[in-house]
Amino acid sequence: MTTPLLRIDRILGDRPFAEVGEPALAVADQPCGLLAVAGSCEHRVVSPVGVYGTDDLTCWALLHSRYPVHTMAFHPGLPLLAVGTGSYDGGYHFQGELLLLDLETGAADSLLEHWAGREVLDLEWLDEQALRVLMSPPDDWQDYEAHVSGHVAVVRRPDWRAVPPGSITAEELAGPRVPAPRPDRREDARQALSGLSADWDPRHSVRAVEELPDGRILAALDPVVLESWLPSGERQWAVPDEWSGRDLVVAGDGRSAWAAGPVPWGWDAPAQTVVRLSLTDGAELGRIEPSGPVSLVRCRDGRPALVPAGGNGGRSRLHVRRGSRAYVRTSGRTEWLATAGLPNPRRNGPPGEDPHQPSRTAFRRQYRYAFTPGETHFSGPGVELPDGGLVHAGTVYDGRGLQPGGSFVVRREAVGGAPLWVFRTDREATALDADERFAYVGYEDGELVALDLRDGTAVRHHLTIGAVTAVPTALTIAGPGRLLVGTGDGRILDCSLAQGAR
């Protein structure tokens, strides 16, 4: 069922060009008063492309590319934007897409026939029917010049608005070899945005958001460890760092908060750090350097805990909020959901005490993590319910990638872990929280879903700001009928829930 799920009451972190974050490329269509801006995907799963009116900086259209964007070109006569993307896969393939964005409908199609596509380096409209395409070679196998050269071809269509997806064949892309430099256009893009507005700010995905009793709102995001927003809507302070904020828990003293950076990934990744920051001005009050990857979670009694995080950079970590115990997914031939007890609060202990860190030996198997025999399930966000049961999101492993119906949210019994209901979709969940009636789930395509805790019945909502989609990357229940939503473009939405979804 699709229905209005929430109303956005105010937006924190709003600014011009918010949708694209850090600009990597900007291309103008001066006769039409348009500017296309592609964002960097260094801190994001996808690369956004926004098209703006240069008079009022309104975002007309938005798409998200699976690969970095190298080139864009406005059609000379039709409301179309051609977008060339791609990257080297680290082995020997150059993969990418030729995307065509319809500026009137907002629809975008991928035009290359081959499943892996080609890395598209440059595009130029020669006239209304002919598009010049410069591509990397398909691969660099025994080709030492592949990274500095390419192939050029001219693709012709009588009406580019009628071109079907996947209809440009490999034969049409065959062309002569030419030099193909890969220029860095980021500084030019930054200057183009600065020339239109001095207020743009390259914020990135909000990973955690919480409200304080005094009405201030805290957020952890890329690349800010923690920031505080006043009830007036002004940012009070921010603690930037070379590592991003990922988790946050307000300490028991009410005057400080713990914040954790991302799980390290890669041989050159910085060590993970957990810091305690003053809520007055963001000053650092303490620091923990865990011996292994951890997630910072808020327990049911409000205290922070550090629990072991999964590998792969934490991309498949089980992150359970408000637990009466600590949760992990064990790895091995069979994955298990394991838990460890939490110590009783110290009667006279310091209110800002360090987070509890259960040892790996303290965890005991409860039930098999995958609730469907023969499947392997990756982890996602979750929350413990008052009855001790668990609602969590995840995906089903498949060597071909995420398959239709391969993303799930499940409610499991406290004892035995049997699924009471399962909600499936085709997109990976990005955030989850629950109140006494519903579990609220955000997805990477901009959808928000409220799942009835009794039977999993869904109320679906597409999150938009203005005329374009926003991707929810953090969700927190802020009280009866209120939901805080952090977005992939660095904004924080203070929302009222519809009567039927609270």
Side-chain angles (χ1 to χ4, degrees):
M1 177 171 61
T2 301
T3 187
L5 175 62
L6 53 81
R7 180 185 71 244
I8 300 175
D9 297 323
R10 62 173 178 157
I11 303 175
L12 306 178
D14 202 13
R15 72 274 183 209
F17 308 111
E19 295 81 3
V20 297
E22 184 73 45
L25 175 67
V27 174
D29 182 353
Q30 294 181 350
C32 294
L34 298 177
L35 181 72
V37 184
S40 169
C41 60
E42 293 177 3
H43 301 285
R44 305 177 65 153
V45 177
V46 294
S47 178
V49 175
V51 180
Y52 299 87
T54 54
D55 54 348
D56 59 4
L57 305 186
T58 297
C59 187
W60 286 29
L62 182 70
L63 70 82
H64 292 91
S65 167
R66 295 185 298 159
Y67 302 100
V69 175
H70 300 301
T71 179
M72 299 183 291
F74 286 97
H75 190 278
L78 298 174
L80 299 173
L81 177 70
V83 181
T85 76
S87 64
Y88 181 62
D89 70 355
Y92 61 94
H93 283 116
F94 296 91
Q95 300 176 340
E97 294 182 292
L98 172 55
L99 303 170
L100 195 62
L101 173 64
D102 190 312
L103 302 181
E104 291 184 347
T105 67
D109 290 321
S110 182
L111 302 185
L112 302 185
E113 178 186 48
H114 193 272
W115 66 270
R118 291 283 294 275
E119 183 179 31
V120 180
L121 300 174
D122 191 50
L123 296 168
E124 180 186 1
W125 293 101
L126 303 180
D127 55 42
E128 292 197 6
Q129 297 184 356
L131 177 63
R132 179 184 179 271
V133 184
L134 175 64
M135 301 151 290
S136 294
D139 58 65
D140 65 353
W141 175 251
Q142 296 183 342
D143 184 357
Y144 300 107
E145 301 297 318
H147 294 264
V148 294
S149 62
H151 297 271
V152 65
V154 176
V155 180
R156 300 181 185 274
R157 293 291 187 272
D159 181 5
W160 280 90
R161 293 196 84 173
V163 177
S167 61
I168 297 179
T169 65
E171 289 75 17
E172 291 182 277
L173 299 176
R177 182 104 167 199
V178 296
R182 278 71 160 171
D184 187 337
R185 298 187 174 96
R186 287 178 294 181
E187 184 56 35
D188 291 340
R190 294 176 67 92
Q191 291 183 12
L193 269 59
S194 298
L196 293 171
S197 173
D199 298 327
W200 72 274
D201 179 21
R203 294 165 58 85
H204 299 282
S205 299
V206 176
R207 302 297 183 178
V209 59
E210 296 284 349
E211 185 175 48
L212 297 174
D214 61 9
R216 287 183 293 164
I217 291 177
L218 302 178
L221 64 155
D222 301 338
V224 176
V225 179
L226 195 64
E227 64 181 14
S228 171
W229 292 84
L230 296 170
S232 64
E234 298 178 89
R235 191 163 75 165
Q236 182 187 21
W237 50 261
V239 182
D241 203 309
E242 67 274 7
W243 55 273
S244 306
R246 191 56 48 103
D247 301 327
L248 76 91
V249 175
V250 178
D253 60 4
R255 299 189 298 271
S256 62
W258 289 94
V263 173
W265 174 239
W267 65 271
D268 59 345
Q272 189 180 19
T273 304
V274 181
V275 294
R276 181 182 169 204
L277 302 172
S278 167
L279 294 181
T280 301
D281 55 8
E284 184 175 321
L285 303 177
R287 176 177 290 250
I288 297 174
E289 294 185 357
S291 58
V294 296
S295 291
L296 173 66
V297 297
R298 180 179 183 269
C299 303
R300 180 177 294 181
D301 60 12
R303 291 179 300 157
L306 296 177
V307 298
N312 195 21
R315 293 176 62 189
S316 61
R317 67 174 182 156
L318 179 64
H319 186 269
V320 178
R321 307 164 79 167
R322 297 194 294 278
S324 59
R325 47 191 176 167
Y327 292 82
V328 298
R329 187 197 72 167
T330 66
S331 58
R333 181 173 298 179
T334 300
E335 285 82 22
W336 295 81
L337 185 138
T339 64
L342 300 173
N344 293 324
R346 288 184 246 167
R347 294 182 178 179
N348 299 313
E353 63 186 64
D354 290 353
H356 176 60
Q357 300 184 62
S359 66
R360 288 189 176 273
T361 58
F363 286 88
R364 298 290 181 266
R365 294 175 177 178
Q366 300 298 317
Y367 45 78
R368 291 179 183 269
Y369 187 76
F371 51 84
T372 302
E375 290 184 344
T376 297
H377 291 176
F378 289 146
S379 310
V383 62
E384 185 182 302
L385 301 177
D387 66 358
L390 188 64
V391 174
H392 69 93
T395 57
V396 180
Y397 168 76
D398 191 292
R400 299 165 295 177
L402 184 62
Q403 298 300 298
S407 175
F408 62 83
V409 178
V410 58
R411 178 175 179 178
R412 310 185 73 160
E413 292 182 340
V415 179
L420 297 176
W421 51 257
V422 182
F423 173 79
R424 292 188 178 273
T425 188
D426 301 339
R427 296 289 183 266
E428 189 169 354
T430 54
L432 185 151
D433 201 2
D435 57 20
E436 67 278 1
R437 286 196 55 195
F438 292 93
Y440 303 90
V441 191
Y443 287 93
E444 62 184 2
D445 63 348
E447 188 174 44
L448 266 172
V449 178
L451 300 173
D452 193 308
L453 291 176
R454 296 168 297 183
D455 56 10
T457 302
V459 178
R460 311 180 79 139
H461 176 92
H462 205 74
L463 185 64
T464 58
I465 301 176
V468 299
T469 297
V471 177
T473 52
L475 299 177
T476 296
I477 302 295
R482 289 186 58 230
L483 182 68
L484 297 178
V485 181
T487 68
D489 54 38
R491 289 184 276 195
I492 303 163
L493 314 181
D494 189 353
C495 304
S496 299
L497 291 163
Q499 192 67 35
R502 55 171 160 157

